[in-house]
Amino acid sequence: MLAAREHWGSRFGFIMATAGSAIGLGNIWRFPYMAGENGGSAFILIYLAVVVTFGISLVMAEMVLGRVTQRNPVGAFRALGGRGWALAGGLGVLTGFVILSFYVVVAGWTLAYMVFMAGNQLPTADPAVLGGHFSGFVGRTFSPLFAATIFMGLTAWIVAGGVGKGIERASKVLMPLLFVLLLVLVARSVTLPGADPGLAFLLTPDFSRVTIDTIISATAQAFFSLSIGMGVMITYGSYLPRNVNIPRSTLIIVLLDVGVAVLAALMVLPAVFAVGLDPSAGPGLTFITLPAVFASMPFGNLFGTLFFALLAIAALTSAVSILEPMIAWAVDEHGIGRGAATLAASLVCLLLAIPASLSFGPLSDATLAGKTFFDWMDFLANNVMLPLGGLLVASFVGWRWAKPACTHLTNDGTLRLPWLTAWIWLLRVGAPVAIVALVWQAVSTS
Ligand code: TRP
């Protein structure tokens, strides 16, 4: 006996949950430093171009697969494409474990830094000291794992609550809070004395720093940020009632995602310039450069605490969405209870998080082809599994299921969508070409 599938309680709830999936560490931690390393607004413009073409197309393709089948990624592909295609969904479920193994580690750092900021434990503006603090902390054996465990526990608690009472309810509170925090911090950052060079850096595109690599990293970043390629959008789409306007909801979600990424860059980079630090500091930008910025501004501890709270909230609603497809799969396909499935999946993720976290300390020398366990998980997820998942969705919908996809996307012809043909051809040719280039580049340069 199948229990009736739970659905989102409102369109607002659905949009907050899905935007919550998209908006995560990718927007606030990764996007600003990638923009900083890749010529500021030139990178942002290329990123926008990728998002409005391939990004939107793939989000809609996944969502329509989910809404039609009312199933998890494995069930959705099996229902429409048979057993062979079910493997594409299986790849998605597997990818979730790989992503969570390193995502909870970085998310744990944000929780720890929130505590450090609130407790005034980083009272220096010297990046060298802060760099030492960062590598010292992440290199420890137990404390970062403890933080990751707390984060995983929060994630599991929300997911175990169910679609409406867990995911939707948490997103409806956390996402508006995130928007408010972000606006406060952007206002603080752009009004710092000396913020102008940072603004100029963001507003005047430097195309001389754009290479093929820039375009490829912008593409990879767009996929990760929009949560494409592992069936999150299939799963969240499967909780949609039939009559929702998918293109319009997608547009809102994508605009929120892009908006937050750009605002995050606007929050981080002017502040970094204002205190004369380097915008191309890479992954350490958030954990090393920003605490230096906070230490040199009035009420820096307060703003610092709010910043890391913002980051933790963004990470939490994303982690929830990475966990949910596995749970939906266990519940739909194997009749396992939600609570038991959540507990089991979370424990597996935590086990995988152990070597990921230790990659910065005791296991930092345990490398394979120069990459630690953390690096491998990150590399496999971002450069192999997610692109492959995206490729499978694009090919399936574009080549095997184009007609029904168009019928369903238009709600049986009630929506007029003049760009349908362009959508199908982007899925058939555009997205696959971009994805193959991405994987090729990543594998050959690594
Ligand atoms: N989009 C999130 C971020 O920007 C991460 C994320 C959530 C994700 N769900 C995903 C990435 C599914 C890939 C696939 O941080």
Side-chain angles (χ1 to χ4, degrees):
M1 260 272 303
L2 269 178
R5 193 174 195 75
E6 213 187 326
H7 286 105
W8 303 112
S10 63
R11 194 174 81 117
F12 177 73
F14 159 65
I15 289 184
M16 287 302 108
T18 315
S21 166
I23 298 166
L25 294 173
N27 302 59
I28 302 175
W29 168 61
R30 210 139 162 244
F31 186 80
Y33 83 71
M34 294 195 75
E37 281 178 339
N38 288 299
S41 49
F43 176 84
I44 298 181
L45 288 175
I46 295 170
Y47 176 77
L48 290 178
V50 176
V51 164
V52 297
T53 51
F54 312 129
I56 291 191
S57 303
L58 277 159
V59 172
M60 290 192 303
E62 283 201 22
M63 247 181 224
V64 82
L65 282 176
R67 189 184 60 174
V68 168
T69 57
Q70 300 278 301
R71 281 283 167 281
N72 65 91
V74 176
F77 270 110
R78 184 187 293 125
L80 301 173
R83 280 226 188 144
W85 279 101
L87 291 175
L91 173 75
V93 171
L94 194 66
T95 308
F97 285 100
V98 175
I99 299 183
L100 265 186
S101 72
F102 67 86
Y103 206 82
V104 297
V105 172
V106 179
W109 299 347
T110 70
L111 282 184
Y113 266 70
M114 197 171 91
V115 174
F116 297 155
M117 276 289 162
N120 197 16
Q121 291 178 43
L122 305 167
T124 165
D126 180 352
V129 176
L130 289 163
H133 181 278
F134 177 66
S135 42
F137 170 71
V138 302
R140 272 152 65 184
T141 304
F142 290 109
S143 352
L145 269 176
F146 179 67
T149 307
I150 293 187
F151 183 83
M152 190 71 236
L154 287 171
T155 308
W157 178 56
I158 294 177
V159 170
V163 176
K165 293 219 173 77
I167 302 177
E168 182 172 354
R169 191 159 72 176
S171 308
K172 283 201 298 200
V173 178
L174 293 174
M175 294 314 289
L177 180 63
L178 180 144
F179 298 136
V180 172
L181 285 179
L182 185 63
L183 291 179
V184 170
L185 288 162
V186 171
R188 172 68 276 198
S189 175
V190 298
T191 53
L192 283 172
D196 290 359
L199 285 172
F201 176 75
L202 276 176
L203 297 176
T204 39
D206 176 4
F207 284 104
S208 70
R209 296 191 51 186
V210 172
T211 61
I212 282 289
D213 272 353
T214 323
I215 300 175
I216 290 182
S217 359
T219 310
Q221 171 66 17
F223 279 27
F224 187 79
S225 185
L226 291 174
S227 309
I228 297 168
M230 61 155 282
V232 168
M233 295 298 168
I234 299 182
T235 310
Y236 277 23
S238 79
Y239 303 130
L240 274 178
R242 301 265 164 207
N243 55 1
V244 166
N245 183 333
I246 289 186
R248 186 189 291 156
S249 304
T250 303
L251 190 66
I252 297 175
I253 291 157
V254 168
L255 285 177
L256 287 173
D257 185 56
V258 168
V260 170
V262 172
L263 282 175
L266 212 52
M267 158 177 77
V268 172
L269 295 172
V272 168
F273 276 91
V275 292
L277 293 169
D278 181 8
S280 54
L285 192 62
T286 298
F287 294 100
I288 299 169
T289 312
L290 280 185
V293 174
F294 294 128
S296 34
M297 67 164 75
F299 302 107
N301 277 335
L302 174 66
F303 287 111
T305 311
L306 291 180
F307 172 77
F308 285 105
L310 167 79
L311 208 52
I313 290 172
L316 186 57
T317 49
S318 295
V320 161
S321 80
I322 307 175
L323 187 58
E324 178 59 23
M326 312 167 194
I327 307 310
W329 166 69
V331 172
D332 293 349
E333 307 295 313
H334 300 283
I336 302 175
R338 177 170 272 274
T342 308
L343 185 66
S346 306
L347 287 176
V348 173
C349 292
L350 268 183
L351 274 181
L352 289 169
I354 295 175
S357 180
L358 298 182
S359 294
F360 297 90
L363 294 183
S364 61
D365 292 327
T367 56
L368 188 68
K371 284 185 168 50
T372 61
F373 184 84
F374 183 102
D375 299 336
W376 270 110
M377 294 291 115
D378 184 8
F379 175 80
L380 278 178
N382 285 312
N383 297 312
V384 183
M385 300 173 87
L386 288 173
L388 188 60
L391 182 66
L392 292 170
V393 168
S395 322
F396 182 80
V397 174
W399 293 104
R400 268 213 51 177
W401 197 65
K403 261 239 162 74
C406 292
T407 312
H408 290 296
L409 196 70
T410 56
N411 290 354
D412 298 320
T414 50
L415 304 176
R416 288 212 39 219
L417 307 173
W419 40 260
L420 270 184
T421 319
W423 178 56
I424 292 296
W425 283 98
L426 271 171
L427 294 175
R428 285 187 177 166
V429 182
V433 168
I435 291 170
V436 169
L438 191 169
V439 175
W440 178 262
Q441 179 77 3
V443 172
S444 60
T445 54
S446 76

